[in-house]
Amino acid sequence: MIDLILTRYHYIAAILLLAIGLYMLIAIKNLVAKVIGLNIFQTGIFLFFITTGMVTGGAPPLLGPHAEGPFVSPLPHVLILTAIVVGVSLTAVALTLIVRIYAEYGSLREDIIREVRANE
Amino acid sequence: MSELLPLAIVLPIVASAAAVIVGRVREESGWYLALIGTAVQVVLAIGIATQVFGDGRITHHLAGFPPPQGIQLVADGLSAAVLSVVAVVGFVVLGYTRGSETHRTAFYAGYLLLVGGLAGVTLTGDLFNMYVFLEITGLAAYALVASANTGRSALAGLRYLIIGTIGASLFLLGVGYAFVATGTLNMMDLSAELAAAGYRSRLVLASFALIVTGLAIKIALFPVHTWQPEAYASAPDSVSTLISALVSTAAAYAIARILYSVYTVEFFTAVPTAQDLLVYAAALSVLAGSVLAVLQSEIKRMLAYSSVSQFGLVVAAFALANQTAFLGGTIHLVGHAVMKGGLFAAAGVIAIRTGARTVDEYADLAAEAPIATGTFAVLGLALVGVPPAVGFVGKWYIALGAVAEGVWIIAAVILLSTLLTLAYFARVIERMYFGMDVPGETAAVADGGRPTISPKLAIAVAAVVAVIVMGLGATWFASLLEPTMEFLFGL
């Protein structure tokens, strides 16, 4: 068990991030906190992807006169760069919508917004 | 001429960027740019479809990098059919957005981005690339849903964004598992490597579960449909027409693509539990979606829950994994897009003419808006499965496929689904034509009574014509799809 934690700690970190993100999405009423939770959830996936490219003792994948293998796999990094861009765009759209919701209902809390809507 | 494939994706995206730039100078240019962009997109889609159905599958290697390293674009019968629907619906619905006050440059930029993302989902042959296009589609859809400028639509858009992103993230995690198991992301390559890794290996099973769950959220199958009714109901009528016709359709296409081109039919033979789970989950969606649709009082929410049910049918057909069911699933996928788009268009016209948005308000509307209500009734009956409309053909083949597979529960659910669909449409149709109001009272409200055809109504009427033409042309379509099915089923 201790051995597993010491050698696979990156998986544990990724799972923790996923769980924390999901918990924030479900349990916290504040909309901005939900978006932060969404970001943490995605970061867990990013971490998982990036660690899969790891090769023990691997060099950075840069070709040059003194380049010597084995290299770590660059592909997951490239993929996650794209995924980060997607994540940033999503956050931007989400925050824009939250600004509009705040202007409309005067609150960022889900339960209060529900009350305001019920009274309308 | 494989260059058509990247063009069909790039063109709407470039047009979207152009709409933003030109829109800064001329505010009203957005619609015209979208019109040009989607018109050219229709030509490209027809070009791709004629090539695919004439000479077979076409592939294109982006930037000349060969797969598995490079990204590959692939068009076969299934993707050509869905791409054509995307292009044509994208072009036609523009007639619906014409002259709207709230639809500005940013709206048309989002509109074009949506069309580009959908084209990308249908044409990509790379799993990670599919994730990116799903997210482009999603991003545009979230923004379009919120474009109604009401607090309700902003809330629905945010809810859609959060749940949709969880779905896409699960999909991405599944792609990561498949990547760890095989070291490749190209679909063709993956199908061979996954077999080599062993279908029963935990990584492969987990990747399948995550990808399918992620896509089920995007399709809005029961019980992960919760974003969808509010999103459809609160969006502007033009947007609900577009999104109900295309977005879930592209996600259902993605599930078919991944089942057949990545995991392949052999995966189901090796892991029958996965197949059973998917088939029964889809069947549950058929039943639950219909029951929830019957319970709705708002028309647009009823139509939204109807999609939950109909997509259950489509996914069940794909998961049955025999040729008859696959054909039925494809026909119903394409047919549902036209029928549901037409229904939302008709509901929008009825709302403009009479202000009616709930089932009760539809009472005795037949006299007030005869053509719009007639269109609504015909499209509703088409979705129920009355021949010769396309809804009948799709359900017929799916039922035949289920019977051939010997899964009697599913066959029963499919036949029952017809009855259930009738349950929620009959309620509306009955009120429209035999409502409880005193006749004469409503006639006074009607303005002049002379039926007129607006561009918006013309779109709904065109959907009726398309639904019947597609129903009559289904056998021809089946023969066109034959080579694709032989390829996907490895015959």
Side-chain angles (χ1 to χ4, degrees):
Chain A
M1 186 65 196
I2 303 284
D3 202 38
L4 193 75
I5 294 172
L6 287 177
T7 53
R8 298 274 188 271
Y9 54 87
H10 50 282
Y11 289 144
I12 294 168
I15 291 166
L16 271 178
L17 286 174
L18 285 174
I20 293 170
L22 209 52
Y23 173 79
M24 288 178 75
L25 278 170
I26 295 166
I28 297 185
K29 299 280 179 218
N30 188 301
L31 293 177
V32 177
K34 273 186 197 291
V35 174
I36 296 172
L38 199 64
N39 278 310
I40 295 175
F41 183 74
Q42 288 184 309
T43 309
I45 297 173
F46 299 164
L47 182 68
F48 169 76
F49 255 89
I50 289 173
T51 51
T52 62
M54 180 62 187
V55 174
T56 316
L62 298 169
L63 290 179
H66 304 295
E68 226 177 293
F71 300 109
V72 298
S73 168
L75 186 59
H77 299 90
V78 180
L79 298 180
I80 290 313
L81 265 183
T82 315
I84 288 172
V85 173
V86 171
V88 170
S89 333
L90 281 167
T91 310
V93 174
L95 292 177
T96 315
L97 293 179
I98 288 175
V99 169
R100 266 185 51 192
I101 292 168
Y102 187 76
E104 187 89 15
Y105 299 109
S107 174
L108 290 175
R109 284 179 60 88
E110 223 181 8
D111 43 352
I112 296 175
I113 293 173
R114 199 172 296 137
E115 267 175 43
V116 174
R117 288 192 65 187
N119 291 336
E120 269 174 8
Chain B
M1 283 287 281
S2 66
E3 289 75 19
L4 285 181
L5 301 185
L7 264 182
I9 301 171
V10 170
L11 176 100
I13 295 178
V14 170
S16 164
V20 175
I21 297 164
V22 181
R24 296 196 80 88
V25 189
R26 296 183 68 86
E27 179 72 38
E28 68 281 13
S29 63
W31 188 79
Y32 295 97
L33 263 169
L35 186 74
I36 297 166
T38 49
V40 180
Q41 178 81 350
V42 170
V43 176
L44 288 174
I46 291 171
I48 291 169
T50 30
Q51 269 190 59
V52 168
F53 291 128
D55 316 323
R57 206 164 167 272
I58 29 179
T59 57
H60 179 87
H61 303 157
L62 279 187
F65 288 111
Q69 286 78 25
I71 294 172
Q72 193 182 26
L73 300 180
V74 186
D76 65 359
L78 179 62
S79 41
V82 177
L83 179 69
S84 307
V85 172
V86 167
V88 172
V89 172
F91 175 67
V92 171
V93 173
L94 269 181
Y96 211 98
T97 63
R98 178 93 178 103
S100 170
E101 289 291 314
T102 52
H103 296 163
R104 303 272 177 128
T105 318
F107 175 85
Y108 291 105
Y111 190 103
L112 285 162
L113 198 61
L114 184 76
V115 173
L118 292 165
V121 172
T122 57
L123 290 177
T124 185
D126 183 279
L127 216 46
F128 186 79
N129 205 226
M130 185 176 252
Y131 161 75
V132 175
F133 281 124
L134 277 172
E135 280 300 65
I136 292 178
T137 307
L139 210 53
Y142 311 145
L144 288 180
V145 164
S147 69
N149 275 332
T150 60
R152 186 186 175 196
S153 79
L155 267 177
L158 184 67
R159 190 183 172 86
Y160 183 10
L161 184 144
I162 289 174
I163 299 177
T165 306
I166 295 174
S169 300
L170 291 179
F171 179 87
L172 180 62
L173 198 56
V175 172
Y177 276 38
F179 176 68
V180 171
T182 62
T184 180
L185 290 166
N186 178 276
M187 289 185 189
M188 283 292 279
D189 207 30
L190 262 172
S191 63
E193 293 290 335
L194 283 171
Y199 287 132
R200 301 199 67 92
S201 95
R202 268 190 229 164
L203 265 180
V204 175
L205 288 176
S207 74
F208 178 81
L210 285 167
I211 289 179
V212 168
T213 311
L215 286 175
I217 294 177
K218 286 273 180 187
I219 299 174
L221 290 183
F222 182 86
V224 284
H225 65 280
T226 47
W227 60 267
Q228 187 248 34
E230 221 10 53
Y232 285 11
S234 70
D237 291 334
S238 56
V239 173
S240 32
T241 304
L242 185 72
I243 289 184
S244 68
L246 297 182
V247 174
S248 291
T249 307
Y253 161 84
I255 227 172
R257 176 58 63 213
I258 281 165
L259 288 185
Y260 290 92
S261 294
V262 178
Y263 289 90
T264 69
V265 185
E266 278 98 68
F267 173 78
F268 274 163
T269 322
V271 195
T273 322
Q275 181 175 20
D276 290 347
L277 277 175
L278 190 54
V279 171
Y280 285 108
L284 178 67
S285 191
V286 174
L287 297 176
S290 306
V291 171
L292 288 166
V294 176
L295 297 175
Q296 299 308 310
S297 56
E298 202 177 337
I299 290 286
K300 280 173 85 175
R301 283 182 75 91
M302 183 195 91
L303 293 177
Y305 278 110
S306 154
S307 283
V308 173
S309 162
Q310 303 298 327
F311 274 106
L313 211 53
V314 170
V315 172
F318 287 136
L320 283 171
N322 70 38
Q323 286 201 47
T324 322
F326 177 85
L327 177 63
T330 311
I331 292 176
H332 201 55
L333 181 69
V334 171
H336 171 267
V338 178
M339 291 185 279
K340 192 51 63 66
L343 278 166
F344 270 104
V349 174
I350 294 173
I352 293 170
R353 298 249 165 126
T354 67
R357 286 197 174 275
T358 64
V359 175
D360 288 332
E361 286 168 3
Y362 267 47
D364 272 334
L365 283 191
E368 250 182 281
I371 304 178
T373 48
T375 322
F376 190 91
V378 173
L379 286 169
L381 291 174
L383 199 59
V384 169
V386 176
V390 66
F392 166 75
V393 191
K395 289 186 183 183
W396 172 252
Y397 280 119
I398 298 173
L400 277 187
V403 170
E405 205 69 7
V407 274
W408 294 104
I409 301 178
I410 303 303
V413 166
I414 291 163
L415 295 174
L416 189 64
S417 86
T418 308
L419 212 59
L420 288 166
T421 314
L422 186 64
Y424 53 80
F425 275 118
R427 202 165 63 109
V428 180
I429 294 171
E430 191 243 306
R431 275 191 181 68
M432 284 194 307
Y433 289 97
F434 315 103
M436 277 88 57
D437 287 12
V438 186
E441 195 179 340
T442 42
V445 182
D447 48 350
R450 197 171 57 87
T452 47
I453 296 230
S454 64
K456 293 184 184 188
L457 184 53
I459 288 167
V461 175
V464 172
V465 176
V467 159
I468 290 169
V469 169
M470 283 160 74
L472 297 173
T475 3
W476 177 66
F477 180 65
S479 67
L480 287 180
L481 213 57
E482 196 76 24
T484 305
M485 289 203 288
E486 278 171 15
F487 185 83
L488 291 177
F489 283 88
L491 298 174

